[in-house]
Amino acid sequence: MRTHRPLAAAVAGLAIIGVAGLAGCSGSDANSDGPVQLEYWAWASNSQDVVDQWNKENPDIQVKYTDAGGGTDSSAKLLTANRAGNAPDVALVEYTTLPAMIVADVPADITEYVSDVEDAFTEGTWAQTTFGGVVYGIPQDVGPMANVYRADRFAELGVTPPKTWAEFRTAAEAIKAADPATVIATLPPAEFGFWAGVSTQAGAQWWSSEGDEWTVGIADEPSLEVADFFQALVEDGLVSTDPLLTPEYNAALNNGTMLSWPSAVWAPSVIENVAADTSGGWEMAPLPQWTEGDAAVPYQGGSALVVTTSSDHPEEAAKFAKWLNASEEGNDLMINTQSLYPAAIAGQEMTESNDPPALMPQQTDFYSVAAEISADTIPVTWGPNVNLARTVFADELQKAIDNGTPWRDAFIATQKAVIDDMVKSGFTVTND
């Protein structure tokens, strides 16, 4: 009923164009008389130090690092560079934007170079970079969803930290009764990763594909039930929807009137940056569960290294990516030099001997808890138009909050916009 253009087929077709259009162009220095020169774009802190270590140990493959900035800006730069034929050999890409990159023919098929390290990652993690059996990247860091909360304030108010979302509501009610100026959390419309994550945790699949066909589930029943649950919390004054990391939000963190952040294991470093004086009051726990005993959660955040189709040296580029993300030395640098939570199983095990984050120095089992959460993650397929979904969802949910209309309408509107965009782009979408 619609034009067929599955992700893999789109990639195959675009790859032909890419090869023809980019012949002779690359971010690599193809000088055959000297060492292979690779260009590398990323944004994690202290990436230059990591590259310096690689260059010291690998005189035949030298890497030049460029800080690409991160986020959507980095993705836009990479797309532009790829179209111009001068993309770097290796680039860091967020999981949420990888499908769009594949459609745009940015990452190369590196299956033959990296299949030997598949077992270094959990199935859910490896699935973030594999589409239709083709590997387009090596996972670098992950953000298993978790709940970071003010353990000291919960104890002071006599409230038990929640293990389920039902208990989350009960705790929110108890907090409001004990201290009306305090809320358990804020859940802003712009936090697309959170909304996708808790919907996935509830059983939704916002994007899925089988063969040539895609299904969009942003408005499936689990997602709509999630919308109803949190709308009721907000309407009862138990949860805020104000944005994160504003001066007002940061002040609430510091004065103890914002008690938790349902997010991911990377949250402590973010809070520590804006509320360092509260260190020692926080702890991390698994995300509240929709069904008691079902601990599986998806990731919120994380990124992978891809080898681009512009590279003249894909094998050498893949070797560098494997060293950084799958080797013991690379994971040690990632943990101790870059303060990342590694995607590799061995890297996560290595963190267990590290000190906990500065925000919770008293929680000595922090990394053991993180590893337990990460071991039970839900594989997620992101669609080719996540950025559009993110924008529409934030606008529609904010509109519903402002107008007092059903939140589920925002999920339905987002699904329609996503499907319309995919069909317009040539994808086959089969929603009943």
Side-chain angles (χ1 to χ4, degrees):
M1 65 179 182
R2 290 161 180 151
T3 304
H4 285 251
R5 193 188 187 194
L7 190 58
V11 171
L14 288 169
I16 295 171
I17 298 171
V19 169
L22 301 179
C25 300
S26 169
S28 309
D29 182 344
N31 182 1
S32 59
D33 296 330
V36 170
Q37 301 282 348
L38 301 178
E39 297 280 346
Y40 169 44
W41 287 9
W43 57 81
S45 61
N46 300 318
S47 291
Q48 184 61 59
D49 294 341
V50 174
V51 169
D52 288 345
Q53 185 66 28
W54 165 270
N55 287 338
K56 180 181 176 182
E57 299 174 3
N58 297 273
D60 295 333
I61 306 174
Q62 294 291 285
V63 176
K64 179 184 177 183
Y65 168 67
T66 297
D67 185 342
T72 54
D73 287 347
S74 177
S75 299
K77 290 176 187 174
L78 187 58
L79 283 169
T80 300
N82 192 67
R83 292 190 186 107
N86 58 10
D89 299 272
V90 185
L92 194 62
V93 173
E94 293 178 317
Y95 297 126
T96 52
T97 59
L98 182 56
M101 291 289 176
I102 294 171
V103 172
D105 194 32
V106 176
D109 173 357
I110 55 173
T111 308
E112 65 176 305
Y113 303 127
V114 304
S115 294
D116 58 322
V117 298
E118 178 178 352
D119 291 343
F121 305 89
T122 65
E123 180 183 359
T125 302
W126 193 250
Q128 298 287 302
T129 59
T130 304
F131 296 85
V134 177
V135 182
Y136 291 101
I138 303 180
Q140 179 165 103
D141 63 306
V142 292
M145 292 192 78
N147 188 32
V148 180
Y149 67 101
R150 282 290 297 269
D152 57 344
R153 289 282 288 141
F154 268 77
E156 177 186 339
L157 298 174
V159 179
T160 301
K163 294 182 179 179
T164 66
W165 286 112
E167 291 179 3
F168 183 85
R169 180 184 177 91
T170 301
E173 291 171 340
I175 289 167
K176 182 180 180 181
D179 185 352
T182 297
V183 294
I184 193 168
T186 185
L187 304 173
E191 293 305 304
F192 182 81
F194 169 80
W195 296 108
V198 292
S199 297
T200 300
Q201 183 196 23
Q205 286 185 288
W206 280 23
W207 284 271
S208 59
S209 63
E210 184 172 352
D212 294 352
E213 300 176 342
W214 283 82
T215 300
V216 180
I218 297 171
D220 62 13
E221 193 55 34
S223 301
L224 298 183
E225 290 177 2
V226 166
D228 294 344
F229 175 82
F230 286 107
Q231 179 173 8
L233 287 180
V234 171
E235 289 180 346
D236 290 343
L238 302 176
V239 171
S240 167
T241 58
D242 292 337
L244 299 168
L245 302 176
T246 61
E248 294 79 12
Y249 176 80
N250 297 344
L253 289 178
N254 280 282
N255 66 26
T257 56
M258 182 64 65
L259 297 197
S260 67
W261 187 8
S263 49
V265 299
W266 41 255
S269 63
V270 179
I271 296 175
E272 204 271 336
N273 282 337
V274 298
D277 290 344
T278 63
S279 294
W282 296 84
E283 290 191 11
M284 184 188 72
L287 194 72
Q289 302 168 359
W290 290 112
T291 302
E292 188 172 2
D294 182 359
V297 292
Y299 293 128
Q300 184 179 344
S303 52
L305 286 180
V306 302
V307 175
T308 73
T309 51
S310 290
S311 178
D312 287 332
H313 304 286
E315 184 172 3
E316 291 84 354
K319 183 177 181 180
F320 168 68
K322 284 199 297 186
W323 170 81
L324 180 53
N325 290 0
S327 76
E328 180 177 346
E329 182 180 20
N331 274 272
D332 180 68
L333 289 165
M334 208 183 309
I335 297 164
N336 295 306
T337 303
Q338 300 185 281
S339 300
L340 297 176
Y341 187 68
I345 297 169
Q348 293 173 9
E349 291 173 349
M350 290 165 66
T351 62
E352 295 184 36
S353 61
N354 279 35
D355 293 334
L359 190 69
M360 54 266 295
Q362 82 290 352
Q363 189 180 3
T364 55
D365 67 347
F366 176 90
Y367 284 113
S368 296
V369 174
E372 290 175 7
I373 296 171
S374 185
D376 194 6
T377 50
I378 304 169
V380 174
T381 297
W382 293 101
N385 53 355
V386 170
N387 285 340
L388 176 136
R390 189 193 317 272
T391 300
V392 174
F393 182 83
D395 291 345
E396 292 293 332
L397 185 52
Q398 187 63 60
K399 190 189 308 179
I401 293 169
D402 293 342
N403 296 336
T405 54
W407 285 23
R408 57 173 49 212
D409 290 353
F411 288 64
I412 294 169
T414 303
Q415 167 149 315
K416 182 180 185 308
V418 166
I419 291 176
D420 288 350
D421 179 69
M422 290 180 68
V423 171
K424 183 179 179 182
S425 299
F427 290 94
T428 299
V429 183
T430 57
N431 279 66
D432 295 331

